[in-house]
Every structure is written in structure tokens, then in C-alpha cells.
Amino acid sequence: MKTGHKVALYGVALTVIFGGTWAAGAAAGPPSTTIGEEAAHGGHETAPSRVPPGLSVSDNGYTLRLKRDTSLSFDIAGPDGQPVTRFAVEHEKRLHLVVVRRDGSHFRHVHPAMAPDGTWSVPLSLPDAGSYRVFADFRPEDGPRTTLGADVERAGDYRPDRHETSRTFAVDGYEVSLSGELNSGKASPVTIAISKNGKPVTDLQDYLGAKGHLVALRAADLAYLHVHPEDSADVKFAVEVPTAGQYRLFLDFQHENVVRTAEFTLTTHEEDGHGH
């Protein structure tokens, strides 16, 4: 059980569906950009695409253009090649940014600020050496919801983390547990319970207009999905993953005016009881 990040989700229901047909490991590899110790993150549901969300630097006519700076900065080029400056508000923000190292560690979900010229920027330190995936999740006004991805690098001695199956997470006196199995190709019921100092937490605060947020990443290629809970009092959500394999799940919630994240690692489980 890892500690030190954050935790999530009691008393809400989530439906998680990965859209499209995904070939395991078939990631589109955009060029990497090196930045010092800064980067950022965000997320939402996305429109159907030729590739899974987040695997391509360009989709739906839009392109993510990262820039070198002391902080992470970028713009979104539209079909005409010019920076997009008009975005629809989704879950109280015009753009969500997620950064995670390619081994599934050091997850961050933040909301950068946009300058009048369409340049987004946010300070965020990259804690350890390695390649990090940056996901920009947005919807231009009068455009489709889109998630784009590109890589940034932090130089140094890279030591990848290995993630074994993990169903519990603890931080700041909270304990989060997950029960249920992921079954490829169909919705799988998963239940989350959270307590603090041994007592159930039942008074989560709204964060970005919801009681909880989920980012799911397929370990083989970091194919991306971000959803928000249904308006429900159940401690249950349904996850539909397209392929067998390992998945990293990150849950955000706000309690006592602090946003925390719980992380879990699950491998798909088939009806014969053998994981894949």
C-alpha cells in the first residue's frame, strides 16, 4: 500500500467506459519536449476517435504544442494552425491537464491559466527522472471534446516503479479500499469505501462540480480516460475496459477543503478466475 499522495470517493457512483477499439500497446508517439523541473495535468470524457484518447499529439483537427519554459506551457493549434483561444467550460474549467510518468507514477491533475494569445501555463515540478506523459483534455467552442497527449522529459537516473495489484490507499489519516474486478469488454462493478481515523467519510465536498473524479490509464500505452460521478449515494461505479491487461486508476476527491488522490492498480480478471 502506498502512502503520500491523496485519497478518494465515498458515496458516489461512476461509470467508466473506454471508447473505441484499442490495440494493446499501439501508442502514437509524438516528439518529446525537455523541460527542467516543471510540468502539469488535467482531464474529461472525449469524443470518439481513430485512436484512444491521449495517444496522439493531434486529433479532431487540433494539435498540442508544448513549449520549453521554466514552467509547463503550451497552446492548442486549431484546424487553421492558429492557437485556439475560445474553449467551452467543462466541469468548471476550460481545460484540464494531467501529467504522469510513463511507468504510471507521479500522477498530477491541475488546471493551467490561459493568456489572451492562447498560451496555457502552470508550474509543476517533475519529482524524478524519466519520461512523463502530458494529457490536455478540452472542448473548443463549437468543437468536439478532445484529449491530446505528448511527452516531456526530466534528465537523470531513471528508476522505474513497478506497480503490483493494489486495492487500498492511505494518506493524511484517510483509508480508501476498492473491491471488485475488471473484466475486459463489459461493465464491471467496483466499489469504493473511504474512512478517516476509522470512521466512514460521508460528507465529501463538491470539487469541479462533482463528488469525485476518475482518471484511468492502461499500463501498456497510457491510453486515457477521465470521467466524473453520477449523482448517486451509492459507493459503486462501473468500469468497462476494452482489453485485458493492467490498469492504473486515480481517484480525486475533496474533503475538509483539501483535494486528495487515491491510486490503485488492477489487472483484468476473466470469468474462469484467471487474470490477464
Side-chain angles (χ1 to χ4, degrees):
M1 175 170 63
K2 285 193 174 183
T3 60
H5 261 323
K6 309 164 190 175
V7 305
L9 208 61
Y10 181 94
V12 293
L14 297 146
T15 301
V16 185
I17 300 175
F18 288 76
T21 301
W22 297 355
S32 296
T33 298
T34 301
I35 60 177
E37 296 186 351
E38 308 296 330
H41 100 37
H44 292 90
E45 303 107 323
T46 58
S49 172
R50 291 184 300 274
V51 296
L55 292 187
S56 178
V57 72
S58 296
D59 196 15
N60 294 327
Y62 299 91
T63 301
L64 173 60
R65 303 189 297 196
L66 297 179
K67 304 176 182 181
R68 294 186 179 187
D69 204 338
T70 56
S71 64
L72 181 67
S73 63
F74 61 94
D75 64 20
I76 305 296
D80 61 358
Q82 298 301 309
V84 178
T85 58
R86 298 176 65 86
F87 294 82
V89 174
E90 298 281 337
H91 305 290
E92 301 184 355
K93 299 292 181 179
R94 291 183 294 169
L95 184 143
H96 297 254
L97 199 72
V98 165
V99 171
V100 63
R101 198 166 69 173
R102 280 225 169 244
D103 62 357
S105 302
H106 305 308
F107 175 88
R108 300 289 186 274
H109 176 187
V110 297
H111 303 100
M114 189 188 75
D117 67 355
T119 298
W120 297 86
S121 60
V122 64
L124 183 69
S125 294
L126 300 177
D128 292 313
S131 178
Y132 290 75
R133 190 67 174 172
V134 176
F135 300 96
D137 191 348
F138 60 92
R139 183 167 68 86
E141 289 188 355
D142 302 321
R145 186 172 295 159
T146 301
T147 301
L148 303 177
D151 287 348
V152 296
E153 312 288 340
R154 180 173 179 182
D157 182 14
Y158 171 51
R159 300 183 181 184
D161 292 336
R162 299 187 63 176
H163 302 287
E164 304 297 334
T165 297
S166 175
R167 297 175 174 273
T168 58
F169 196 86
V171 65
D172 297 343
Y174 294 85
E175 292 188 1
V176 185
S177 62
L178 179 152
S179 60
E181 302 290 348
L182 297 183
N183 294 278
S184 59
K186 67 178 183 179
S188 304
V190 177
T191 300
I192 297 286
I194 179 173
S195 62
K196 183 180 182 183
N197 299 324
K199 297 180 180 180
V201 175
T202 60
D203 58 343
L204 294 178
Q205 298 167 303
D206 284 349
Y207 173 61
L208 301 177
K211 297 296 184 185
H213 302 257
L214 174 67
V215 171
L217 300 174
R218 187 170 56 187
D221 56 6
L222 295 188
Y224 167 98
L225 179 69
H226 183 188
V227 298
H228 294 259
E230 299 173 353
D231 184 12
S232 171
D234 296 333
V235 193
K236 181 182 293 185
F237 57 92
V239 179
E240 184 172 344
V241 297
T243 62
Q246 187 182 84
Y247 290 82
R248 294 278 287 154
L249 308 176
F250 301 91
L251 290 160
D252 289 341
F253 83 98
Q254 181 167 273
H255 189 243
E256 297 180 345
N257 301 316
V258 178
V259 178
R260 297 175 172 87
T261 304
E263 59 183 67
F264 306 98
T265 303
L266 295 182
T267 300
T268 52
H269 179 90
E270 298 307 311
E271 303 241 341
D272 61 6
H274 298 291
H276 293 262

